[in-house]
């Protein structure tokens, strides 16, 4: 299955499931429809959509120039990361049951995107404009503040580094999918883990704005992400450890920025 087809099928299904978990007494199709209408018809919704698209465009631009910048820098931080944490990723992979690889791959590819979108749907449906604004700012902060690290502190993925015995297990359930991911994430864009930082941000803001089920979903997603990125051989333990405070900081920045704009 191609990455495009995967996102066109499993990501919407995952989003509907997560919205249903967060708001079990409501129709997830209607909640998603409300969010889509807001993104198209409401001025605030269009601003949110423009901000998200701008962030993604910046990410793809970074990936385009990343090889040239890395070549110009002439250095690689991966050996340092490997020396600090030793065989941590290999130990994590040793505890991964083979039957779970499909679940981990689904969560890394589709579940993660759905987890990031679910708060926007839930808070839009509940009319929590300040939460939507804070989350949008925090999401943008995650991407934009990570770009200098990805350009100036190149750390290669664990299973593709040549320095670890970790295996690229993401390709086991979906052969060749890692190559497709390169369009949106360069091989040496590891430190900090953006998957971990973004799900940490979701958790922090869910704690603040609720509802209760979204908090529980966000907590489970943050833990599952931290495990999945190492179990699949994508991130080092240090990437994960750095992603947690990074995500907390971006959540605080998002709240502060939108609070000052409203004052």
């Amino acid at each position: 299955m191609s990455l495009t087809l995967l996102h066109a099928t499993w990501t919407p299904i995952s989003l509907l499931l997560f919205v249903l978990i967060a708001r079990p007494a409501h129709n997830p199709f209607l909640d998603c429809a409300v969010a889509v209408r807001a993104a198209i018809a409401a001025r605030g919704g269009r601003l949110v959509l423009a901000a998200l698209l701008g962030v993604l465009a910046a990410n793809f631009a970074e990936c385009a120039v990343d090889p040239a910048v890395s070549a110009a820098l002439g250095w690689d931080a991966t050996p340092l990361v490997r020396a600090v944490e030793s065989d941590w990723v290999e130990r994590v992979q040793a505890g991964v049951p083979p039957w779970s690889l499909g679940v981990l791959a689904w969560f890394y590819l589709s579940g993660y995107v759905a987890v990031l979108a679910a708060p926007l749907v839930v808070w839009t449906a509940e009319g929590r404009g300040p939460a939507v604004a804070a989350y949008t700012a925090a999401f943008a902060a995650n991407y934009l503040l990570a770009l200098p690290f990805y350009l100036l502190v190149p750390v290669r993925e664990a299973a593709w580094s040549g320095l670890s015995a970790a295996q690229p297990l993401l390709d086991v359930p979906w052969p060749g999918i890692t190559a497709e991911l390169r369009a949106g994430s360069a091989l040496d864009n590891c430190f900090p883990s953006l998957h971990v930082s973004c799900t940490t941000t979701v958790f922090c803001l869910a704690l603040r704005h609720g509802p209760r089920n979204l908090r529980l979903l966000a907590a489970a997603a943050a833990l599952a992400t931290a495990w999945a990125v190492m179990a699949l051989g994508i991130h080092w333990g240090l990437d994960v450890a750095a992603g947690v405070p990074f995500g907390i900081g971006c959540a605080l920045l998002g709240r502060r920025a939108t609070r000052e704009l409203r004052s």
Side-chain angles (χ1 to χ4, degrees):
M1 180 183 293
S2 70
L3 185 61
T4 301
L5 182 58
L6 183 71
H7 282 313
T9 53
W10 281 106
T11 301
I13 293 172
S14 302
L15 176 59
L16 289 169
L17 173 63
F18 293 159
V19 172
L20 178 61
I21 291 172
R23 282 168 49 92
H26 298 80
N27 187 325
F29 290 95
L30 292 179
D31 286 348
C32 289
V34 168
V36 170
R37 283 199 300 270
I40 296 172
R43 179 175 178 273
R46 291 194 296 271
L47 289 174
V48 169
L49 183 60
L52 298 181
L53 291 176
V55 167
L56 295 178
N59 180 64
F60 279 105
E62 185 276 332
C63 289
V65 302
D66 184 274
V69 173
S70 296
L73 287 174
W75 81 293
D76 181 3
T78 313
L80 175 62
V81 172
R82 170 65 179 182
V84 169
E85 71 172 66
S86 185
D87 60 348
W88 175 251
V89 176
E90 292 99 314
R91 293 183 183 184
V92 171
Q93 284 197 335
V96 177
W99 61 263
S100 70
L101 292 179
V103 177
L104 292 171
W106 157 76
F107 186 78
Y108 179 80
L109 296 169
S110 290
Y112 166 73
V113 177
V115 163
L116 298 189
L120 290 175
V121 173
V122 170
W123 291 330
T124 300
E126 294 185 346
R128 303 189 187 208
V132 172
Y135 179 64
T136 303
F139 177 82
N142 269 283
Y143 270 80
L144 298 179
L145 295 180
L147 294 183
F149 285 93
Y150 294 162
L151 285 172
L152 303 177
V153 189
V155 176
R156 285 171 285 142
E157 294 181 8
W160 299 85
S161 66
L163 302 175
S164 168
Q167 299 299 308
L169 299 183
L170 184 61
D171 288 276
V172 173
W174 283 301
I177 202 75
T178 302
E180 293 188 58
L181 288 171
R182 292 289 173 252
S185 179
L187 179 64
D188 59 2
N189 286 1
C190 274
F191 183 87
S193 168
L194 198 57
H195 270 62
V196 172
S197 68
C198 283
T199 51
T200 300
T201 293
V202 170
F203 175 62
C204 290
L205 293 178
L207 282 178
R208 174 72 178 179
H209 299 285
R212 177 179 177 273
N213 281 13
L214 182 61
R215 296 189 190 106
L216 296 175
L217 173 65
L223 292 173
T225 299
W227 174 261
V229 296
M230 292 185 291
L232 294 170
I234 298 166
H235 280 288
W236 303 89
L238 286 180
D239 302 334
V240 172
V244 174
F246 195 88
I248 294 172
C250 288
L252 294 174
L253 281 174
R255 287 183 54 202
R256 182 179 180 85
T258 51
R259 185 170 61 245
E260 290 184 352
L261 287 174
R262 294 195 302 271
S263 62

